Amino acid sequence: MPASKVPHNEIERLQALISLKILDTAEDDDYDNITELASFICNTPVSLISLVDKERQWFKSKKGMTACETSRDYSFCAHAILDPTEILEVADARLDPRFIDNPLTELDEPVIFYAGIPLRTENGLPLGSLCVIDHKPNALNQGQRDALKRLGKQVERLLLLRIMNRDLISTKDSLKKHNGLLKEFASIVSHDLKMPLANLILTSDIIKKKYNDFIDDTGKGYLDYLKKSSLSMSDYITKILEHYECIAYDVDDTQNFQINELLEGVIDLLNIKDNCEINLPENNIDILCNITALKQIFINLIGNSLKYNDKERTIIKIKASEIEGFYEFKIHDNGRGIEKEKLKTIFELFTIVGHLDNNGEKGHGIGLSTVQKLVHSLSGEISVISDLGSYSEFTFTIAKLK
């Protein structure tokens, strides 16, 4: 029995096979379904997805055979990969010079008929074959050959997806590592920036108190401005960090809860004043989602409704409902509203409406961008409608978890 020739690109071929990291992996239904179909369509008892290694052929999927691998010296597939563009079809291996005295033809269930379509990488490197085997002489008709080629293409797509998934996992691990380094760096920078700001705030208070009799009203105004600016910058740094390293992105805090219980907790955190009326949803629906992320969304949106309200009495109405595959929430307030030309960009980072809040502070344009990111992380969408001087209403959805 003559040994099969070695492909001219054997080194590259083996490197491509090894890079797949598929050899000796567990059974997989996606591959097994293809060998089942191949055997059925070609009317053969055996079908294999065979990958030709350096010294063996290993079966990723097998129908009608118990062995997991055989020696490459006896491999029919080692011959099939020599011409990676065509089906190798052997009607009766006992009469073919390449397979005379092949041990596989002398088994209790011998390999007599063989038809294999080579499996190739995107670069055309043959890795093995999808083959069908019979224990007696046989032949495929043209329809069966065409079907075997199409099934071979499906195997090639599965192999390509494996490469893509492997690359995605590698990229994810790399990004996770770099994001960890960036968070550590941001934390250090934040500390180094906020400490001098804290010193400025403290020093301005000390100067104002200790030298109060020697400073006129103009000087005291400058000290107040210095303190106010330092507090604003410290708050700005805090919000930037919250935007880029929000805990809700990294922590799976999925829980079952009722929406009104969550909202009552948010209201307690916001320390609502007496001149405010918040109407909770009439439907106290049960929700399964990341409670940390949803809570942060409501804190930001309700907080904005409180800060940017110019009415004597603030009225906020919250609605909750269930639609197909999603929960939907609406937050309607009677505040000062938003200009139409600014509605399209309101969720962009650092975009500000320009209004001062009830404390005389101008927003940083970070909060709504963070809200949108959180909503997207929950597979939802957010939108806003508004009438200047009358109301604003934010509507957002989050996907239901199964």
Side-chain angles (χ1 to χ4, degrees), residues 145-177:
R145 293 189 189 94
D146 291 342
L148 194 63
K149 288 181 180 179
R150 291 191 178 95
L151 290 173
K153 290 295 182 184
Q154 292 302 313
V155 178
E156 289 176 352
R157 289 189 180 95
L158 288 176
L159 296 175
L160 178 59
L161 283 173
R162 183 179 181 85
I163 294 172
M164 294 172 66
N165 287 337
R166 179 201 63 198
D167 291 344
L168 284 173
I169 291 172
S170 177
T171 300
K172 181 181 178 181
D173 290 341
S174 178
L175 286 173
K176 187 175 181 180
K177 178 180 178 181

Side-chain angles (χ1 to χ4, degrees), residues 32 35 58 66 71 74 105 118 133 141 145 160 174 194 206 249 269 272 283 314 326 328 331 359 368 377:
D32 291 344
T35 51
W58 175 78
T66 57
S71 169
Y74 312 145
T105 65
I133 293 170
N141 59 42
R145 293 189 189 94
L160 178 59
S174 178
K194 293 180 79 170
I206 291 173
Y249 300 147
L269 285 173
I272 308 299
N283 299 323
T314 299
F326 293 87
E328 183 179 74
I331 301 176
N359 295 319
L368 288 178
S377 76

Side-chain angles (χ1 to χ4, degrees), residues 228-379:
K228 184 177 180 180
S229 297
S230 298
L231 286 169
S232 178
M233 179 60 71
S234 179
D235 182 59
Y236 183 69
I237 294 169
T238 299
K239 283 183 167 56
I240 283 283
L241 289 174
E242 288 176 352
H243 178 78
Y244 284 110
E245 58 175 80
C246 181
I247 188 172
Y249 300 147
D250 299 323
V251 176
D252 183 9
D253 193 15
T254 300
Q255 297 182 30
N256 273 304
F257 56 92
Q258 291 186 312
I259 184 61
N260 286 358
E261 292 176 1
L262 179 142
L263 290 171
E264 287 168 0
V266 168
I267 292 170
D268 288 341
L269 285 173
L270 292 173
N271 192 22
I272 308 299
K273 296 180 180 178
D274 292 337
N275 64 338
C276 177
E277 174 185 333
I278 298 182
N279 299 307
L280 298 182
E282 293 181 1
N283 299 323
N284 189 16
I285 61 176
D286 293 316
I287 294 178
L288 173 64
C289 79
N290 187 324
I291 190 172
T292 303
L294 186 58
K295 183 181 292 185
Q296 188 63 48
I297 292 168
F298 277 114
I299 287 173
N300 283 15
L301 293 179
I302 297 174
N304 282 348
S305 292
L306 295 170
K307 288 192 297 183
Y308 297 99
N309 196 295
D310 56 353
K311 307 301 189 295
E312 289 187 9
R313 184 168 182 79
T314 299
I315 300 176
I316 301 172
K317 299 177 181 179
I318 305 173
K319 295 182 179 180
S321 60
E322 297 181 70
I323 56 179
E324 187 175 359
F326 293 87
Y327 304 106
E328 183 179 74
F329 306 98
K330 293 180 182 290
I331 301 176
H332 183 283
D333 65 49
N334 65 334
R336 62 189 65 183
I338 305 165
E339 291 86 346
K340 288 184 178 179
E341 64 271 15
K342 295 180 179 179
L343 291 176
K344 292 182 179 180
T345 60
I346 196 170
F347 295 108
E348 295 178 5
L349 187 61
F350 303 127
T351 297
I352 58 175
V353 174
H355 301 155
L356 299 179
D357 65 20
N358 294 337
N359 295 319
E361 301 286 345
K362 184 179 289 188
H364 303 303
I366 299 172
L368 288 178
S369 177
T370 300
V371 166
Q372 186 182 59
K373 283 183 175 293
L374 286 166
V375 169
H376 287 171
S377 76
L378 298 175
S379 301

